[in-house]
Amino acid sequence: TLEHELVHAIEYNLPKSEELISLYERAKQVITESSFSVGVFDFVFMRNIHEFIAKGKTEPAFIEALKNEGLYDDFVKETSYIFE
């Protein structure tokens, strides 16, 4: 939880690139229950781009879902400017 909230503290007021916004919109379309291989389905990331970024940086099940849908490499690339 602390790590998740620290990610919010870092990213919250930074501008989001068009590429990151596009990736977020794509993730909302393709991530489903079947994207998760463990029994936990957490769709909090759909609330807003801030949750998407924090989940993608801190939550193993969501990171795996991003990987399962082929979005993880793009996620790392498109969020790198935030965490440089």
Side-chain angles (χ1 to χ4, degrees):
T1 301
L2 181 58
E3 184 181 24
H4 177 98
E5 296 308 321
L6 287 171
V7 169
H8 281 311
I10 294 167
E11 65 77 26
Y12 196 82
N13 288 316
L14 293 176
K16 308 308 180 255
S17 70
E18 289 299 318
E19 293 82 4
L20 180 56
I21 293 168
S22 177
L23 177 63
Y24 172 56
E25 294 301 324
R26 192 168 63 212
K28 290 192 302 184
Q29 297 296 315
V30 301
I31 294 178
T32 65
E33 288 181 5
S34 64
S35 303
F36 296 86
S37 62
V38 294
V40 178
F41 311 123
D42 184 349
F43 290 90
V44 172
F45 80 92
M46 289 190 164
R47 285 185 190 164
N48 56 55
I49 197 164
H50 305 292
E51 290 299 331
F52 173 68
I53 294 168
K55 293 282 186 187
K57 285 290 185 185
T58 64
E59 190 170 303
F62 187 66
I63 292 168
E64 185 176 3
L66 287 170
K67 288 177 179 177
N68 289 341
E69 297 302 335
L71 300 174
Y72 184 72
D73 290 340
D74 287 339
F75 177 85
V76 171
K77 176 183 165 195
E78 299 306 335
T79 58
S80 66
Y81 76 97
I82 296 171
F83 301 100
E84 292 180 327

